[in-house]
Amino acid sequence: MDSLFDAVAEETHRGHEPLAVRMRPRGLDEVIGQRHLLGPGTPLRRLVESEAPMSLFLWGPPGTGKTTLAYVVAGATERRFVEVSAVSAGVKEVRAAIESARRELGMSGRQTVLFVDEVHRFNKAQQDALLPAVENRWVTFIGATTENPFFSVISPLLSRSLLLTLEPLSDDDVRKVLERAVTDPRGLDGKVTLAPEAADHLVRLAGGDARRSLTYLEAAALIADGEITVETVERAVDKAAVRYDRQGDQHYDVISGFIKSMRGSDADAALHYLARMVEAGEDPRFIARRIVIFASEDVGMADPTCLQVAVAAAQAVEFVGLPEGRLNLAQAVIHCALAPKSNAVITAVDAAAADVRRGDIGQVPAHLRDSHYAGAGKLGHGEGYKYPHDFEHGLVRQDYAPAEIRDRRYYRPTRHGAEAGFADRWTRIRAFLRGR
């Protein structure tokens, strides 16, 4: 406390903080989630249990506990806590915070936790200003970021720090956060109850973000009449509950409607089902995987770029996350829905697999077998193989398939979209290879 006025201001403000602030854990044992970071012997445990300063980055989605962990480290070790926001602070503020920490360390021996939130927003000069404090261990530096630090943090700073990755909270974790807040004296102190259906709805709305779940819970509690129901949450958050069970019929029905709408080229219907899944808290990676599968199963060679778009969307979702990742998913959905359709790819591979299961396998022709090992020549492996690149158009007539299935036809291209061109080419190539 720097002055009497600070003490009075803090006392006046106490009890009026947002619920998410009041429910901030006071020790590592109160932290919900992030079990991979909190076990015995982990860097965070060592930081709390020892007096040695340490620098680390906490990287994870919003509401996963980055600020909470920084406060816990400071409180559990009785270190002085100084927070700097990269949104508003510049080099001057950073240097002032470091100089203050050096003075405190010199006069009392008390260490300082310098917490920089949204550290990825600092430019190179601002990050450079942190280097002396980190290198000389004048402070215990903790930087929080929602963006990949390998792209947003300068290498000298990152190499001198530990990088800890936080994961989105599970549904069970968020539910525990809500239940604790309802009964804890620091929270709602049992003045309201939370209906199970309302808890489920809050969990879906939170999307793995504990802070968001507590913000919505607090808003609902303000208008609740003894019990927080689904209707209470809908009125408080102005967001209707999406009837969707990730483990039940709705999950399978909605994803089925989603796939069949894309297959039927109805982009609007497909976007509706996409929005239902996203708003209900469905794992975006699951949606992305279904789109990638669809791109080959239902579009295939009719538009080969569809798979590229689908894979790019899946990678973007991993990189960006929600809510922005829904844009990447929507782009892929529209592309897939409007693309010409062909199921020739899945039909071809299924037909080939059916022959294999029936035992129609045969021997690999001798001239195609591996000839790179000692003794292969004596067995006749590779003998007579014709290297296609040595021939006009890169084509040469020779047997490629086992004799048993030489005349089988698996790939039967449609005349839809780009596949019409592949169909013409495959017809000519196949006729040439088969000697017709």
Side-chain angles (χ1 to χ4, degrees), residues 119-366:
V119 68
H120 58 271
R121 294 178 180 268
F122 269 175
N123 59 32
K124 184 179 183 298
Q126 291 166 317
Q127 293 185 33
D128 280 337
L130 292 167
L131 277 175
V134 170
E135 192 161 19
N136 294 294
R137 296 195 168 181
W138 295 331
V139 298
T140 289
F141 168 73
I142 301 179
T145 177
T146 56
E147 296 191 7
N148 190 330
F150 289 104
F151 297 115
S152 58
V153 177
I154 59 173
S155 297
L157 187 56
L158 192 58
S159 66
R160 290 166 172 78
S161 309
L162 288 174
L163 174 60
L164 304 181
T165 304
L166 282 72
E167 299 173 349
L169 271 64
S170 68
D171 288 354
D172 288 340
D173 290 335
V174 175
R175 189 171 281 103
K176 289 175 185 175
V177 169
L178 293 169
E179 290 170 351
R180 178 188 291 178
V182 169
T183 59
D184 195 293
R186 292 177 298 156
L188 302 180
D189 198 18
K191 294 174 183 175
V192 295
T193 59
L194 181 62
E197 297 80 6
D200 291 341
H201 186 32
L202 286 170
V203 168
R204 284 194 296 269
L205 292 176
D209 186 328
R211 182 170 54 242
R212 185 187 300 164
S213 74
L214 291 174
T215 300
Y216 291 165
L217 175 65
E218 185 174 28
L222 289 174
I223 62 172
D225 186 16
E227 182 184 39
I228 298 176
T229 63
V230 171
E231 291 72 23
T232 310
V233 175
E234 289 177 331
R235 283 190 289 125
V237 183
D238 192 26
K239 199 165 187 179
V242 180
R243 308 302 175 187
Y244 188 90
D245 178 4
R246 276 185 262 180
Q247 305 300 322
D249 290 343
Q250 299 99 326
H251 167 85
Y252 297 103
D253 289 345
V254 173
I255 195 64
S256 177
F258 175 63
I259 295 296
K260 289 171 182 173
S261 294
M262 286 196 294
R263 183 178 296 146
S265 301
D266 191 330
D268 287 336
L271 287 169
H272 166 78
Y273 291 120
L274 171 67
R276 270 172 74 167
M277 289 187 287
V278 170
E279 292 298 315
E282 180 62 83
D283 185 348
R285 294 170 299 182
F286 166 76
I287 303 172
R289 286 194 296 268
R290 296 307 307 175
I291 298 172
V292 171
I293 295 167
F294 178 91
S296 290
E297 181 178 353
D298 288 285
V299 177
M301 302 302 291
D303 181 0
T305 67
C306 201
L307 180 59
Q308 298 171 7
V309 171
V311 171
Q315 293 174 337
V317 166
E318 289 280 3
F319 183 70
V320 176
L322 292 178
E324 291 86 355
R326 76 191 193 283
L327 301 175
N328 310 115
L329 293 174
Q331 180 178 343
V333 166
I334 293 170
H335 190 122
C336 287
L338 300 184
K341 304 298 187 296
S342 169
N343 69 344
V345 169
I346 188 173
T347 301
V349 72
D350 282 353
D355 276 355
V356 171
R357 293 190 194 104
R358 281 195 300 267
D360 294 338
I361 296 176
Q363 296 294 319
V364 177

Side-chain angles (χ1 to χ4, degrees), residues 2-15:
D2 294 329
S3 70
L4 177 61
F5 296 104
D6 291 329
V8 171
E10 183 169 315
E11 185 63 34
T12 302
H13 185 60
R14 186 173 292 125

Side-chain angles (χ1 to χ4, degrees), residues 88-109:
S88 56
V91 173
K92 179 180 178 182
E93 288 80 7
V94 171
R95 288 178 175 162
I98 293 172
E99 187 57 36
S100 174
R102 288 187 66 184
R103 285 199 306 269
E104 184 71 26
L105 187 62
M107 290 188 297
S108 67

